[in-house]
PDB file of all heavy atoms in Angstrom:
ATOM      1  N   GLY A   1      15.278  -4.447 -30.365  1.00 98.00           N
ATOM      2  CA  GLY A   1      15.445  -4.828 -31.758  1.00 98.00           C
ATOM      3  C   GLY A   1      14.513  -4.174 -32.745  1.00 98.00           C
ATOM      4  O   GLY A   1      13.736  -4.864 -33.421  1.00 98.00           O
ATOM      5  N   ILE A   2      14.570  -2.874 -32.881  1.00 98.00           N
ATOM      6  CA  ILE A   2      13.817  -2.222 -33.950  1.00 98.00           C
ATOM      7  C   ILE A   2      14.536  -2.418 -35.274  1.00 98.00           C
ATOM      8  O   ILE A   2      15.740  -2.656 -35.327  1.00 98.00           O
ATOM      9  CB  ILE A   2      13.594  -0.722 -33.671  1.00 98.00           C
ATOM     10  CG1 ILE A   2      14.926   0.001 -33.431  1.00 98.00           C
ATOM     11  CG2 ILE A   2      12.659  -0.520 -32.492  1.00 98.00           C
ATOM     12  CD1 ILE A   2      14.797   1.488 -33.284  1.00 98.00           C
ATOM     13  N   GLY A   3      13.763  -2.331 -36.353  1.00 97.00           N
ATOM     14  CA  GLY A   3      14.315  -2.529 -37.683  1.00 97.00           C
ATOM     15  C   GLY A   3      13.763  -1.524 -38.672  1.00 97.00           C
ATOM     16  O   GLY A   3      13.088  -0.551 -38.285  1.00 97.00           O
ATOM     17  N   PRO A   4      14.000  -1.745 -39.955  1.00 96.00           N
ATOM     18  CA  PRO A   4      13.611  -0.749 -40.964  1.00 96.00           C
ATOM     19  C   PRO A   4      12.112  -0.551 -41.102  1.00 96.00           C
ATOM     20  O   PRO A   4      11.673   0.486 -41.607  1.00 96.00           O
ATOM     21  CB  PRO A   4      14.216  -1.317 -42.254  1.00 96.00           C
ATOM     22  CG  PRO A   4      14.383  -2.784 -42.003  1.00 96.00           C
ATOM     23  CD  PRO A   4      14.703  -2.891 -40.543  1.00 96.00           C
ATOM     24  N   ASN A   5      11.309  -1.522 -40.654  1.00 96.00           N
ATOM     25  CA  ASN A   5       9.852  -1.416 -40.807  1.00 96.00           C
ATOM     26  C   ASN A   5       9.127  -1.072 -39.512  1.00 96.00           C
ATOM     27  O   ASN A   5       7.923  -0.825 -39.530  1.00 96.00           O
ATOM     28  CB  ASN A   5       9.295  -2.751 -41.337  1.00 96.00           C
ATOM     29  CG  ASN A   5       9.906  -3.157 -42.661  1.00 96.00           C
ATOM     30  OD1 ASN A   5       9.943  -2.365 -43.595  1.00 96.00           O
ATOM     31  ND2 ASN A   5      10.407  -4.385 -42.735  1.00 96.00           N
ATOM     32  N   THR A   6       9.850  -1.046 -38.399  1.00 97.00           N
ATOM     33  CA  THR A   6       9.192  -0.954 -37.102  1.00 97.00           C
ATOM     34  C   THR A   6       8.370   0.321 -36.951  1.00 97.00           C
ATOM     35  O   THR A   6       7.218   0.277 -36.499  1.00 97.00           O
ATOM     36  CB  THR A   6      10.226  -1.046 -35.970  1.00 97.00           C
ATOM     37  OG1 THR A   6      10.979  -2.255 -36.120  1.00 97.00           O
ATOM     38  CG2 THR A   6       9.540  -1.043 -34.612  1.00 97.00           C
ATOM     39  N   ALA A   7       8.941   1.463 -37.296  1.00 95.00           N
ATOM     40  CA  ALA A   7       8.223   2.720 -37.093  1.00 95.00           C
ATOM     41  C   ALA A   7       6.924   2.758 -37.885  1.00 95.00           C
ATOM     42  O   ALA A   7       5.882   3.183 -37.374  1.00 95.00           O
ATOM     43  CB  ALA A   7       9.124   3.900 -37.477  1.00 95.00           C
ATOM     44  N   ALA A   8       6.966   2.283 -39.133  1.00 95.00           N
ATOM     45  CA  ALA A   8       5.753   2.288 -39.958  1.00 95.00           C
ATOM     46  C   ALA A   8       4.708   1.328 -39.394  1.00 95.00           C
ATOM     47  O   ALA A   8       3.506   1.633 -39.372  1.00 95.00           O
ATOM     48  CB  ALA A   8       6.092   1.922 -41.396  1.00 95.00           C
ATOM     49  N   VAL A   9       5.144   0.164 -38.920  1.00 97.00           N
ATOM     50  CA  VAL A   9       4.214  -0.803 -38.336  1.00 97.00           C
ATOM     51  C   VAL A   9       3.565  -0.226 -37.085  1.00 97.00           C
ATOM     52  O   VAL A   9       2.345  -0.348 -36.871  1.00 97.00           O
ATOM     53  CB  VAL A   9       4.944  -2.124 -38.019  1.00 97.00           C
ATOM     54  CG1 VAL A   9       4.081  -3.025 -37.136  1.00 97.00           C
ATOM     55  CG2 VAL A   9       5.324  -2.849 -39.311  1.00 97.00           C
ATOM     56  N   LEU A  10       4.366   0.408 -36.239  1.00 97.00           N
ATOM     57  CA  LEU A  10       3.819   1.037 -35.035  1.00 97.00           C
ATOM     58  C   LEU A  10       2.789   2.101 -35.408  1.00 97.00           C
ATOM     59  O   LEU A  10       1.724   2.206 -34.787  1.00 97.00           O
ATOM     60  CB  LEU A  10       4.944   1.655 -34.208  1.00 97.00           C
ATOM     61  CG  LEU A  10       5.898   0.678 -33.520  1.00 97.00           C
ATOM     62  CD1 LEU A  10       7.074   1.431 -32.902  1.00 97.00           C
ATOM     63  CD2 LEU A  10       5.187  -0.136 -32.456  1.00 97.00           C
ATOM     64  N   ASP A  11       3.095   2.891 -36.406  1.00 95.00           N
ATOM     65  CA  ASP A  11       2.175   3.930 -36.867  1.00 95.00           C
ATOM     66  C   ASP A  11       0.839   3.309 -37.302  1.00 95.00           C
ATOM     67  O   ASP A  11      -0.231   3.795 -36.924  1.00 95.00           O
ATOM     68  CB  ASP A  11       2.819   4.673 -38.044  1.00 95.00           C
ATOM     69  CG  ASP A  11       2.631   6.175 -37.956  1.00 95.00           C
ATOM     70  OD1 ASP A  11       2.364   6.686 -36.853  1.00 95.00           O
ATOM     71  OD2 ASP A  11       2.746   6.840 -39.004  1.00 95.00           O
ATOM     72  N   GLU A  12       0.912   2.240 -38.057  1.00 96.00           N
ATOM     73  CA  GLU A  12      -0.301   1.585 -38.560  1.00 96.00           C
ATOM     74  C   GLU A  12      -1.161   1.040 -37.424  1.00 96.00           C
ATOM     75  O   GLU A  12      -2.397   1.040 -37.520  1.00 96.00           O
ATOM     76  CB  GLU A  12       0.086   0.444 -39.503  1.00 96.00           C
ATOM     77  CG  GLU A  12       0.669   0.893 -40.832  1.00 96.00           C
ATOM     78  CD  GLU A  12       1.172  -0.284 -41.643  1.00 96.00           C
ATOM     79  OE1 GLU A  12       0.864  -1.444 -41.272  1.00 96.00           O
ATOM     80  OE2 GLU A  12       1.870  -0.049 -42.652  1.00 96.00           O
ATOM     81  N   LEU A  13      -0.528   0.563 -36.357  1.00 97.00           N
ATOM     82  CA  LEU A  13      -1.261  -0.061 -35.261  1.00 97.00           C
ATOM     83  C   LEU A  13      -1.661   0.930 -34.167  1.00 97.00           C
ATOM     84  O   LEU A  13      -2.174   0.526 -33.125  1.00 97.00           O
ATOM     85  CB  LEU A  13      -0.430  -1.206 -34.672  1.00 97.00           C
ATOM     86  CG  LEU A  13      -0.195  -2.395 -35.611  1.00 97.00           C
ATOM     87  CD1 LEU A  13       0.704  -3.435 -34.949  1.00 97.00           C
ATOM     88  CD2 LEU A  13      -1.516  -3.032 -36.034  1.00 97.00           C
ATOM     89  N   GLY A  14      -1.431   2.204 -34.405  1.00 96.00           N
ATOM     90  CA  GLY A  14      -1.905   3.225 -33.480  1.00 96.00           C
ATOM     91  C   GLY A  14      -0.977   3.548 -32.326  1.00 96.00           C
ATOM     92  O   GLY A  14      -1.376   4.231 -31.377  1.00 96.00           O
ATOM     93  N   TYR A  15       0.272   3.115 -32.408  1.00 97.00           N
ATOM     94  CA  TYR A  15       1.234   3.463 -31.355  1.00 97.00           C
ATOM     95  C   TYR A  15       1.723   4.892 -31.547  1.00 97.00           C
ATOM     96  O   TYR A  15       1.825   5.393 -32.658  1.00 97.00           O
ATOM     97  CB  TYR A  15       2.422   2.486 -31.370  1.00 97.00           C
ATOM     98  CG  TYR A  15       2.093   1.149 -30.752  1.00 97.00           C
ATOM     99  CD1 TYR A  15       1.469   0.150 -31.499  1.00 97.00           C
ATOM    100  CD2 TYR A  15       2.374   0.892 -29.417  1.00 97.00           C
ATOM    101  CE1 TYR A  15       1.142  -1.068 -30.932  1.00 97.00           C
ATOM    102  CE2 TYR A  15       2.054  -0.325 -28.841  1.00 97.00           C
ATOM    103  CZ  TYR A  15       1.442  -1.299 -29.598  1.00 97.00           C
ATOM    104  OH  TYR A  15       1.116  -2.498 -29.026  1.00 97.00           O
ATOM    105  N   ARG A  16       2.026   5.540 -30.432  1.00 97.00           N
ATOM    106  CA  ARG A  16       2.490   6.926 -30.488  1.00 97.00           C
ATOM    107  C   ARG A  16       3.892   7.107 -29.900  1.00 97.00           C
ATOM    108  O   ARG A  16       4.524   8.137 -30.130  1.00 97.00           O
ATOM    109  CB  ARG A  16       1.517   7.831 -29.705  1.00 97.00           C
ATOM    110  CG  ARG A  16       0.099   7.885 -30.250  1.00 97.00           C
ATOM    111  CD  ARG A  16       0.049   8.442 -31.678  1.00 97.00           C
ATOM    112  NE  ARG A  16       0.905   9.589 -31.860  1.00 97.00           N
ATOM    113  CZ  ARG A  16       0.620  10.836 -31.438  1.00 97.00           C
ATOM    114  NH1 ARG A  16      -0.523  11.069 -30.808  1.00 97.00           N
ATOM    115  NH2 ARG A  16       1.452  11.832 -31.658  1.00 97.00           N
ATOM    116  N   ILE A  17       4.358   6.124 -29.132  1.00 98.00           N
ATOM    117  CA  ILE A  17       5.638   6.265 -28.428  1.00 98.00           C
ATOM    118  C   ILE A  17       6.439   4.978 -28.578  1.00 98.00           C
ATOM    119  O   ILE A  17       5.905   3.879 -28.409  1.00 98.00           O
ATOM    120  CB  ILE A  17       5.421   6.540 -26.924  1.00 98.00           C
ATOM    121  CG1 ILE A  17       4.555   7.780 -26.721  1.00 98.00           C
ATOM    122  CG2 ILE A  17       6.757   6.703 -26.196  1.00 98.00           C
ATOM    123  CD1 ILE A  17       3.994   7.914 -25.311  1.00 98.00           C
ATOM    124  N   ASP A  18       7.720   5.122 -28.900  1.00 98.00           N
ATOM    125  CA  ASP A  18       8.639   3.986 -28.895  1.00 98.00           C
ATOM    126  C   ASP A  18       9.733   4.254 -27.865  1.00 98.00           C
ATOM    127  O   ASP A  18      10.176   5.390 -27.695  1.00 98.00           O
ATOM    128  CB  ASP A  18       9.275   3.784 -30.266  1.00 98.00           C
ATOM    129  CG  ASP A  18      10.250   2.623 -30.254  1.00 98.00           C
ATOM    130  OD1 ASP A  18       9.793   1.473 -30.126  1.00 98.00           O
ATOM    131  OD2 ASP A  18      11.475   2.856 -30.335  1.00 98.00           O
ATOM    132  N   CYS A  19      10.151   3.185 -27.157  1.00 98.00           N
ATOM    133  CA  CYS A  19      11.197   3.299 -26.134  1.00 98.00           C
ATOM    134  C   CYS A  19      12.315   2.291 -26.384  1.00 98.00           C
ATOM    135  O   CYS A  19      12.923   1.774 -25.443  1.00 98.00           O
ATOM    136  CB  CYS A  19      10.608   3.056 -24.741  1.00 98.00           C
ATOM    137  SG  CYS A  19       9.249   4.133 -24.279  1.00 98.00           S
ATOM    138  N   SER A  20      12.593   1.995 -27.658  1.00 98.00           N
ATOM    139  CA  SER A  20      13.527   0.921 -27.995  1.00 98.00           C
ATOM    140  C   SER A  20      14.965   1.371 -28.202  1.00 98.00           C
ATOM    141  O   SER A  20      15.876   0.538 -28.175  1.00 98.00           O
ATOM    142  CB  SER A  20      13.067   0.213 -29.276  1.00 98.00           C
ATOM    143  OG  SER A  20      11.738  -0.244 -29.176  1.00 98.00           O
ATOM    144  N   VAL A  21      15.186   2.645 -28.438  1.00 98.00           N
ATOM    145  CA  VAL A  21      16.529   3.122 -28.781  1.00 98.00           C
ATOM    146  C   VAL A  21      17.404   3.174 -27.527  1.00 98.00           C
ATOM    147  O   VAL A  21      17.017   3.768 -26.520  1.00 98.00           O
ATOM    148  CB  VAL A  21      16.456   4.492 -29.477  1.00 98.00           C
ATOM    149  CG1 VAL A  21      17.846   5.102 -29.624  1.00 98.00           C
ATOM    150  CG2 VAL A  21      15.796   4.352 -30.840  1.00 98.00           C
ATOM    151  N   ARG A  22      18.586   2.563 -27.617  1.00 97.00           N
ATOM    152  CA  ARG A  22      19.515   2.521 -26.482  1.00 97.00           C
ATOM    153  C   ARG A  22      20.855   3.133 -26.908  1.00 97.00           C
ATOM    154  O   ARG A  22      21.775   2.423 -27.330  1.00 97.00           O
ATOM    155  CB  ARG A  22      19.718   1.086 -26.002  1.00 97.00           C
ATOM    156  CG  ARG A  22      20.311   1.005 -24.606  1.00 97.00           C
ATOM    157  CD  ARG A  22      20.489  -0.421 -24.130  1.00 97.00           C
ATOM    158  NE  ARG A  22      20.764  -0.426 -22.706  1.00 97.00           N
ATOM    159  CZ  ARG A  22      21.222  -1.478 -22.036  1.00 97.00           C
ATOM    160  NH1 ARG A  22      21.474  -2.611 -22.681  1.00 97.00           N
ATOM    161  NH2 ARG A  22      21.446  -1.400 -20.739  1.00 97.00           N
ATOM    162  N   PRO A  23      20.986   4.451 -26.791  1.00 97.00           N
ATOM    163  CA  PRO A  23      22.213   5.118 -27.228  1.00 97.00           C
ATOM    164  C   PRO A  23      23.469   4.526 -26.588  1.00 97.00           C
ATOM    165  O   PRO A  23      23.443   4.054 -25.449  1.00 97.00           O
ATOM    166  CB  PRO A  23      21.995   6.567 -26.777  1.00 97.00           C
ATOM    167  CG  PRO A  23      20.510   6.724 -26.747  1.00 97.00           C
ATOM    168  CD  PRO A  23      19.986   5.402 -26.285  1.00 97.00           C
ATOM    169  N   LEU A  24      24.549   4.536 -27.368  1.00 95.00           N
ATOM    170  CA  LEU A  24      25.884   4.071 -26.956  1.00 95.00           C
ATOM    171  C   LEU A  24      25.984   2.553 -26.892  1.00 95.00           C
ATOM    172  O   LEU A  24      26.991   2.021 -26.416  1.00 95.00           O
ATOM    173  CB  LEU A  24      26.314   4.673 -25.614  1.00 95.00           C
ATOM    174  CG  LEU A  24      26.252   6.201 -25.484  1.00 95.00           C
ATOM    175  CD1 LEU A  24      26.840   6.639 -24.137  1.00 95.00           C
ATOM    176  CD2 LEU A  24      26.969   6.877 -26.625  1.00 95.00           C
ATOM    177  N   PHE A  25      24.974   1.840 -27.386  1.00 95.00           N
ATOM    178  CA  PHE A  25      25.021   0.375 -27.418  1.00 95.00           C
ATOM    179  C   PHE A  25      24.936  -0.109 -28.869  1.00 95.00           C
ATOM    180  O   PHE A  25      24.282   0.516 -29.710  1.00 95.00           O
ATOM    181  CB  PHE A  25      23.877  -0.233 -26.611  1.00 95.00           C
ATOM    182  CG  PHE A  25      24.106  -0.200 -25.127  1.00 95.00           C
ATOM    183  CD1 PHE A  25      23.948   0.989 -24.418  1.00 95.00           C
ATOM    184  CD2 PHE A  25      24.486  -1.339 -24.434  1.00 95.00           C
ATOM    185  CE1 PHE A  25      24.167   1.028 -23.039  1.00 95.00           C
ATOM    186  CE2 PHE A  25      24.705  -1.311 -23.066  1.00 95.00           C
ATOM    187  CZ  PHE A  25      24.545  -0.124 -22.361  1.00 95.00           C
ATOM    188  N   ASP A  26      25.603  -1.241 -29.128  1.00 94.00           N
ATOM    189  CA  ASP A  26      25.659  -1.813 -30.471  1.00 94.00           C
ATOM    190  C   ASP A  26      25.421  -3.317 -30.375  1.00 94.00           C
ATOM    191  O   ASP A  26      26.176  -4.030 -29.704  1.00 94.00           O
ATOM    192  CB  ASP A  26      27.035  -1.532 -31.086  1.00 94.00           C
ATOM    193  CG  ASP A  26      27.156  -2.016 -32.522  1.00 94.00           C
ATOM    194  OD1 ASP A  26      26.212  -2.662 -33.023  1.00 94.00           O
ATOM    195  OD2 ASP A  26      28.203  -1.760 -33.144  1.00 94.00           O
ATOM    196  N   TYR A  27      24.357  -3.797 -31.028  1.00 96.00           N
ATOM    197  CA  TYR A  27      24.020  -5.212 -31.012  1.00 96.00           C
ATOM    198  C   TYR A  27      24.322  -5.866 -32.360  1.00 96.00           C
ATOM    199  O   TYR A  27      23.809  -6.928 -32.692  1.00 96.00           O
ATOM    200  CB  TYR A  27      22.544  -5.390 -30.649  1.00 96.00           C
ATOM    201  CG  TYR A  27      22.230  -4.838 -29.275  1.00 96.00           C
ATOM    202  CD1 TYR A  27      21.757  -3.533 -29.115  1.00 96.00           C
ATOM    203  CD2 TYR A  27      22.454  -5.594 -28.133  1.00 96.00           C
ATOM    204  CE1 TYR A  27      21.508  -3.005 -27.846  1.00 96.00           C
ATOM    205  CE2 TYR A  27      22.202  -5.087 -26.864  1.00 96.00           C
ATOM    206  CZ  TYR A  27      21.736  -3.796 -26.734  1.00 96.00           C
ATOM    207  OH  TYR A  27      21.506  -3.283 -25.477  1.00 96.00           O
ATOM    208  N   GLY A  28      25.199  -5.220 -33.120  1.00 94.00           N
ATOM    209  CA  GLY A  28      25.527  -5.699 -34.459  1.00 94.00           C
ATOM    210  C   GLY A  28      26.188  -7.064 -34.482  1.00 94.00           C
ATOM    211  O   GLY A  28      26.053  -7.802 -35.470  1.00 94.00           O
ATOM    212  N   ALA A  29      26.892  -7.435 -33.430  1.00 93.00           N
ATOM    213  CA  ALA A  29      27.565  -8.738 -33.408  1.00 93.00           C
ATOM    214  C   ALA A  29      26.578  -9.886 -33.477  1.00 93.00           C
ATOM    215  O   ALA A  29      26.938 -11.007 -33.872  1.00 93.00           O
ATOM    216  CB  ALA A  29      28.423  -8.865 -32.146  1.00 93.00           C
ATOM    217  N   GLU A  30      25.307  -9.634 -33.107  1.00 95.00           N
ATOM    218  CA  GLU A  30      24.256 -10.657 -33.184  1.00 95.00           C
ATOM    219  C   GLU A  30      23.217 -10.308 -34.250  1.00 95.00           C
ATOM    220  O   GLU A  30      22.092 -10.791 -34.215  1.00 95.00           O
ATOM    221  CB  GLU A  30      23.573 -10.804 -31.827  1.00 95.00           C
ATOM    222  CG  GLU A  30      24.491 -11.303 -30.720  1.00 95.00           C
ATOM    223  CD  GLU A  30      23.760 -11.462 -29.401  1.00 95.00           C
ATOM    224  OE1 GLU A  30      23.370 -10.424 -28.808  1.00 95.00           O
ATOM    225  OE2 GLU A  30      23.562 -12.609 -28.971  1.00 95.00           O
ATOM    226  N   ASP A  31      23.608  -9.455 -35.192  1.00 97.00           N
ATOM    227  CA  ASP A  31      22.699  -8.999 -36.245  1.00 97.00           C
ATOM    228  C   ASP A  31      21.581  -8.115 -35.709  1.00 97.00           C
ATOM    229  O   ASP A  31      20.514  -7.997 -36.327  1.00 97.00           O
ATOM    230  CB  ASP A  31      22.088 -10.174 -37.018  1.00 97.00           C
ATOM    231  CG  ASP A  31      23.089 -10.825 -37.961  1.00 97.00           C
ATOM    232  OD1 ASP A  31      24.010 -10.117 -38.412  1.00 97.00           O
ATOM    233  OD2 ASP A  31      22.961 -12.026 -38.235  1.00 97.00           O
ATOM    234  N   GLY A  32      21.816  -7.473 -34.577  1.00 97.00           N
ATOM    235  CA  GLY A  32      20.863  -6.522 -34.039  1.00 97.00           C
ATOM    236  C   GLY A  32      21.208  -5.100 -34.455  1.00 97.00           C
ATOM    237  O   GLY A  32      22.169  -4.870 -35.203  1.00 97.00           O
ATOM    238  N   PRO A  33      20.459  -4.110 -33.982  1.00 97.00           N
ATOM    239  CA  PRO A  33      20.699  -2.724 -34.370  1.00 97.00           C
ATOM    240  C   PRO A  33      21.898  -2.111 -33.643  1.00 97.00           C
ATOM    241  O   PRO A  33      22.301  -2.576 -32.574  1.00 97.00           O
ATOM    242  CB  PRO A  33      19.409  -2.014 -33.971  1.00 97.00           C
ATOM    243  CG  PRO A  33      18.898  -2.832 -32.823  1.00 97.00           C
ATOM    244  CD  PRO A  33      19.276  -4.254 -33.109  1.00 97.00           C
ATOM    245  N   SER A  34      22.440  -1.068 -34.233  1.00 95.00           N
ATOM    246  CA  SER A  34      23.492  -0.279 -33.585  1.00 95.00           C
ATOM    247  C   SER A  34      22.933   1.094 -33.255  1.00 95.00           C
ATOM    248  O   SER A  34      22.330   1.753 -34.098  1.00 95.00           O
ATOM    249  CB  SER A  34      24.695  -0.119 -34.515  1.00 95.00           C
ATOM    250  OG  SER A  34      25.645   0.776 -33.942  1.00 95.00           O
ATOM    251  N   PHE A  35      23.134   1.509 -32.006  1.00 96.00           N
ATOM    252  CA  PHE A  35      22.647   2.819 -31.552  1.00 96.00           C
ATOM    253  C   PHE A  35      23.795   3.740 -31.145  1.00 96.00           C
ATOM    254  O   PHE A  35      23.602   4.641 -30.338  1.00 96.00           O
ATOM    255  CB  PHE A  35      21.693   2.630 -30.356  1.00 96.00           C
ATOM    256  CG  PHE A  35      20.478   1.792 -30.652  1.00 96.00           C
ATOM    257  CD1 PHE A  35      20.255   0.607 -29.961  1.00 96.00           C
ATOM    258  CD2 PHE A  35      19.556   2.182 -31.605  1.00 96.00           C
ATOM    259  CE1 PHE A  35      19.131  -0.166 -30.204  1.00 96.00           C
ATOM    260  CE2 PHE A  35      18.428   1.411 -31.866  1.00 96.00           C
ATOM    261  CZ  PHE A  35      18.211   0.239 -31.166  1.00 96.00           C
ATOM    262  N   TRP A  36      24.973   3.477 -31.683  1.00 91.00           N
ATOM    263  CA  TRP A  36      26.130   4.266 -31.251  1.00 91.00           C
ATOM    264  C   TRP A  36      25.901   5.765 -31.391  1.00 91.00           C
ATOM    265  O   TRP A  36      26.301   6.545 -30.544  1.00 91.00           O
ATOM    266  CB  TRP A  36      27.368   3.857 -32.047  1.00 91.00           C
ATOM    267  CG  TRP A  36      28.112   2.722 -31.443  1.00 91.00           C
ATOM    268  CD1 TRP A  36      28.263   1.466 -31.952  1.00 91.00           C
ATOM    269  CD2 TRP A  36      28.791   2.713 -30.179  1.00 91.00           C
ATOM    270  NE1 TRP A  36      28.991   0.686 -31.093  1.00 91.00           N
ATOM    271  CE2 TRP A  36      29.335   1.425 -30.001  1.00 91.00           C
ATOM    272  CE3 TRP A  36      28.999   3.664 -29.188  1.00 91.00           C
ATOM    273  CZ2 TRP A  36      30.066   1.067 -28.876  1.00 91.00           C
ATOM    274  CZ3 TRP A  36      29.726   3.313 -28.061  1.00 91.00           C
ATOM    275  CH2 TRP A  36      30.251   2.035 -27.913  1.00 91.00           C
TER     276      TRP A  36
END
């Protein structure tokens, strides 16, 4: 569940790698992100 602020928040807290993107999956039916 990444959102519009996640990347900036990770940057601020010193993170260098994100592993949240799941191509070909869509969680929009539950108000989650779409990675189609």
